[in-house]
Amino acid sequence: MKRSSGRPGAPAPLVIESSVVEGLPAEGAVLLRLSGTLDPLGAGEWSHALRTHLEQADRAGLRPVLDMGHVQLGDAAVLRTLSETTRARTGRPDLIIVRARPGVREAVHLARLDGVRLYATLDEAVRELARAAPQTEDLPVWHSQIADPLRPSYEDLHKEVRALRARVRTAPVIGMAQGTLMARYGLPDSGSAFRVLREASQRFNVPLRVLVSAVVVARAPEGAVWFPGRRTLPVPPLRTLARGGRDPRCRRQMVDAVLHEALALGRAPAGYVQLVDPAVNALMLETHHGCDERFLDHLVRGRAEGSADAAARLRGRPVTVPDVAAEPLLSDEVRSALLVTGARALHTTPVVSPAGSCTGVITLQWTVPGRRPAAARAEALALLAADTAAWLSWYHRSVLLDALEHLHRTLAGRRVS
């Protein structure tokens, strides 16, 4: 975090926070979040701070994205600073600005600044850049359906906030993985590490979040092969998840299938799947259906304490909450988040690995108190969780390790040459 104005008595010093953005298919990006007050007196200092951030992004090979949603006042100062900055960036990628206030947005349009592209939201910028990119990969699950990009709906804003919060939780792990690769293979900068991680992620269709977590927790390689003696493992026999021609190497397809089967078995209108990220030892939201955006926002904050999910993970057995309003297991914060979004009954099934550790949970929600799966359906949900655990174990020991081996061969080869 860097303060670009430290003058005594300034009403709200301008702060620039930077973090890596996922979701751009052809290049990485660094998000510069601006907050505070920008006035003519502080414009020069802020301009210098901004140029420093932009130079760092250019050296790392990352496209800069400015989030100006919380910049107060000083439209003329903003415009003058942007004009000076863009002139200095001739030949560099366009400066992306998201969530600029109407006065700033209108001034930029009137000034016809070269090298500046305005978008209403980060979501909108990602989608537009993805269309223009020569390479493609799956876009994040937080696609916006904004009809008028200048008037996003509350649902769109909820989705974007949730996506940003999820990325805030992921960013430290990405940073740790970049640092690990830089130290291990002598890479010159974090941008080089990020590009290699992204290439392996795309080649093996492994989500970047999953790959960087594995880089952080896996033991360091000691030779030319990261995991010597490793054998190719057959896909385990799956009783439920094998239906429908699903590809066990496609993580997203399989996780979505888990939720689809669970909703059908539980006859539930809503539910979600969370899996444990070993780098942070926490449940991470993977997929969902029918859940209120406000509750999903609560989930991605990572506050699992006092929830049925946390209890099922700790106990290693299913947890049923027939009445959210009266369940003593739930914390007040969790209860409030559920009640305000209409959830009145829950059933959480843990995903327990063959080694006996809980690697995730499958949670169903109902809007009527007293709902719960009948005994036969609860047993079927347990079998589905066992299928999920067997597949996930195979995926980690096969697809994910293949990606890590590729990463090691690529970087070790560069170091030798």
Side-chain angles (χ1 to χ4, degrees):
M1 178 183 294
K2 178 169 182 171
R3 294 183 180 273
S4 63
S5 176
R7 293 172 288 112
L14 195 74
V15 175
I16 302 178
E17 299 174 293
S18 64
S19 60
V20 173
V21 180
E22 296 178 55
L24 293 182
E27 59 187 329
V30 59
L31 179 67
L32 304 176
R33 294 186 182 88
L34 279 60
S35 61
T37 300
L38 177 61
D39 55 22
L41 293 176
E45 191 177 353
W46 177 67
S47 178
H48 173 74
L50 178 60
R51 280 198 297 270
T52 300
H53 278 282
L54 296 178
E55 289 168 2
Q56 291 173 349
D58 290 337
R59 285 196 298 269
L62 300 174
R63 179 185 285 261
V65 178
L66 266 61
D67 181 351
M68 301 184 69
H70 297 289
V71 175
Q72 303 289 334
L73 307 177
D75 296 348
V78 171
L79 183 61
R80 183 171 61 254
T81 300
L82 291 178
S83 178
E84 294 171 354
T85 303
T86 53
R87 280 200 302 270
R89 286 180 53 78
T90 303
R92 298 288 187 179
D94 289 346
L95 187 62
I96 304 301
I97 298 178
V98 299
R99 301 202 308 155
R101 289 173 175 267
V104 175
R105 189 167 57 236
E106 184 175 344
V108 170
H109 278 306
L110 292 175
R112 300 182 182 276
L113 294 183
D114 293 328
V116 174
R117 297 167 67 179
L118 291 166
Y119 295 94
T121 65
L122 178 61
D123 186 355
E124 186 76 10
V126 168
R127 290 195 294 129
E128 290 298 320
L129 292 171
R131 292 194 188 105
Q135 302 175 14
T136 59
E137 69 176 351
D138 289 340
L139 291 178
V141 298
W142 42 282
H143 282 262
S144 172
Q145 302 298 324
I146 301 177
D148 179 353
L150 299 181
R151 293 179 176 82
S153 68
Y154 286 113
E155 181 180 0
D156 294 317
L157 294 176
H158 274 301
K159 289 180 180 179
E160 185 168 345
V161 168
R162 173 161 51 86
L164 288 173
R165 283 180 173 147
R167 279 153 180 74
V168 166
R169 293 185 70 192
T170 303
V173 183
I174 295 177
M176 286 190 287
Q178 289 173 305
T180 297
L181 297 184
M182 290 168 63
R184 185 177 294 166
Y185 301 102
L187 297 180
D189 50 51
S190 60
S192 301
F194 184 80
R195 285 190 287 274
V196 175
L197 286 165
R198 186 185 59 216
E199 186 274 333
S201 169
Q202 292 175 343
R203 177 185 289 264
F204 291 89
N205 196 22
V206 174
L208 183 61
R209 173 177 59 80
V210 176
L211 180 62
V212 297
S213 180
V215 168
V216 169
V217 301
R219 70 177 188 274
E222 298 178 355
V225 178
W226 196 334
F227 305 99
R230 184 169 68 95
R231 297 176 298 168
T232 301
L233 298 174
V235 179
L238 303 174
R239 290 155 291 192
T240 304
L241 295 177
R243 295 199 299 258
R246 294 158 180 155
D247 180 2
R249 299 185 68 85
C250 182
R251 190 176 188 274
R252 181 58 188 270
Q253 185 182 119
M254 294 296 286
V255 172
D256 283 346
V258 171
L259 181 57
H260 174 80
E261 296 290 345
L263 291 170
L265 287 171
R267 296 180 178 177
Y272 54 90
V273 174
Q274 295 183 97
L275 297 179
V276 173
D277 184 332
V280 295
N281 191 30
L283 291 168
M284 303 290 283
L285 180 64
E286 298 285 340
T287 188
H288 58 87
H289 175 80
C291 299
D292 188 282
E293 286 291 336
R294 292 166 294 177
F295 179 71
L296 295 174
D297 182 56
H298 171 82
L299 282 181
V300 300
R301 290 172 183 264
R303 300 173 180 174
E305 296 81 4
S307 68
D309 303 331
R313 181 189 178 192
L314 179 64
R315 301 172 183 177
R317 61 179 185 271
V319 171
T320 301
V321 177
D323 187 353
V324 168
E327 177 55 58
L329 168 73
L330 303 178
S331 69
D332 291 340
E333 181 182 7
V334 172
R335 188 191 329 280
S336 175
L338 289 165
L339 291 176
V340 77
T341 58
R344 295 296 183 268
L346 310 172
H347 181 82
T348 299
T349 305
V351 176
V352 180
S353 74
S357 63
C358 181
T359 56
V361 295
I362 306 166
T363 300
L364 301 178
Q365 295 182 346
W366 294 270
T367 57
V368 178
R371 294 294 302 272
R372 67 173 71 196
R377 293 185 177 274
E379 184 177 347
L381 284 169
L383 290 176
L384 172 62
D387 256 14
T388 305
W391 163 76
L392 194 59
S393 175
W394 171 86
Y395 179 87
H396 285 166
R397 296 164 62 198
S398 299
V399 180
L400 189 52
L401 294 192
D402 285 347
L404 292 180
E405 288 280 22
H406 169 79
L407 197 67
H408 177 55
R409 286 194 304 270
T410 299
L411 291 175
R414 290 183 183 180
R415 184 171 56 184
V416 170
S417 60

